[in-house]
Amino acid sequence: MFRILIVSLLFLTSLFGESSKDFSFMGLSVSTQNINIDPGESSWESGFAFKYGQQSLDWRTSFSLDYTNDSYYGAFVEIDKILLDDMFGTAKLRPYLGGVAGYMKVDKDELNIALEDRELFEETNGFYFGGNFGFIIYATDNIDLDLSYHYYKVQNLDYMDDLHGASLGAHYFF
């Protein structure tokens, strides 16, 4: 099942960005996020992600594998629309707005939550979806930086409600 999901997500990254010129990229991002845990608890976690994707002048799609301080790991697809290029042209600083869908596997023993609450957690596999916005900053012709904020709604995990936080990434175009 997980292999089918990975192949499907990789296929989806090639469907978008069908403009005159597409650029493939690989990258690494670091993030910090607040994991909202029911009932009313939250935990700040940091992590990193490896990315592969394609970017055109209007769209960016990527597939990522992420890992967060032993508490969860997963995979997600991100599709971003680059904004305001029609108004200002292709600038060194480009805002974007996007959507995300992903899978996560949670290690409930590693979450920063009270020990007595851990017995309530049965499921360890979940899905999430949400949105993000940020800025692409071109450092050189082959390297850009990505500063973003994300909000993800978690499904299939009764004890986890949402994830939100900031990310900083660097991408190399080839």
Side-chain angles (χ1 to χ4, degrees):
M1 173 66 179
F2 188 66
R3 288 184 207 152
I4 292 171
L5 177 68
I6 297 292
V7 170
S8 299
L9 294 177
L10 284 173
F11 176 72
L12 282 174
T13 63
S14 67
L15 292 179
F16 295 90
E18 294 281 334
S19 71
S20 61
K21 185 74 173 164
D22 292 337
F23 304 95
S24 296
F25 66 88
M26 292 181 68
L28 178 68
S29 66
V30 294
S31 65
T32 181
Q33 57 193 348
N34 189 342
I35 301 174
N36 287 328
I37 303 165
D38 291 337
E41 288 188 62
S42 65
S43 170
W44 281 96
E45 302 281 345
S46 59
F48 63 92
F50 295 103
K51 282 189 171 185
Y52 167 76
Q54 291 190 347
Q55 180 173 317
S56 70
L57 294 177
D58 299 316
W59 293 92
R60 177 174 64 176
T61 61
S62 63
F63 173 75
S64 300
L65 299 173
D66 65 339
Y67 177 82
T68 303
N69 278 3
D70 294 329
S71 58
Y72 82 84
Y73 60 91
F76 63 90
V77 170
E78 181 177 334
I79 301 171
D80 301 322
K81 171 67 172 139
I82 299 170
L83 306 172
L84 303 178
D85 276 357
D86 295 335
M87 188 180 299
F88 298 111
T90 305
K92 295 282 186 190
L93 178 71
R94 300 172 76 192
Y96 67 88
L97 184 64
V100 175
Y103 163 82
M104 66 189 320
K105 179 150 180 73
V106 177
D107 184 350
K108 60 186 177 184
D109 294 327
E110 295 296 331
L111 283 174
N112 292 327
I113 55 174
L115 196 56
E116 62 273 4
D117 293 335
R118 290 186 188 158
E119 286 75 34
L120 302 174
F121 304 164
E122 294 178 15
E123 282 294 322
T124 59
N125 298 314
F127 297 92
Y128 58 92
F129 62 92
N132 60 347
F133 68 89
F135 296 95
I136 300 169
I137 305 160
Y138 291 102
T140 68
D141 288 341
N142 293 341
I143 297 174
D144 76 12
L145 301 175
D146 181 1
L147 181 62
S148 66
Y149 174 82
H150 60 268
Y151 178 87
Y152 307 145
K153 184 72 176 158
V154 178
Q155 299 291 310
N156 203 39
L157 295 174
D158 293 336
Y159 54 88
M160 191 177 294
D161 191 33
D162 62 67
L163 312 167
H164 60 93
S167 298
L168 175 64
H171 306 131
Y172 174 74
F173 292 91
F174 54 93

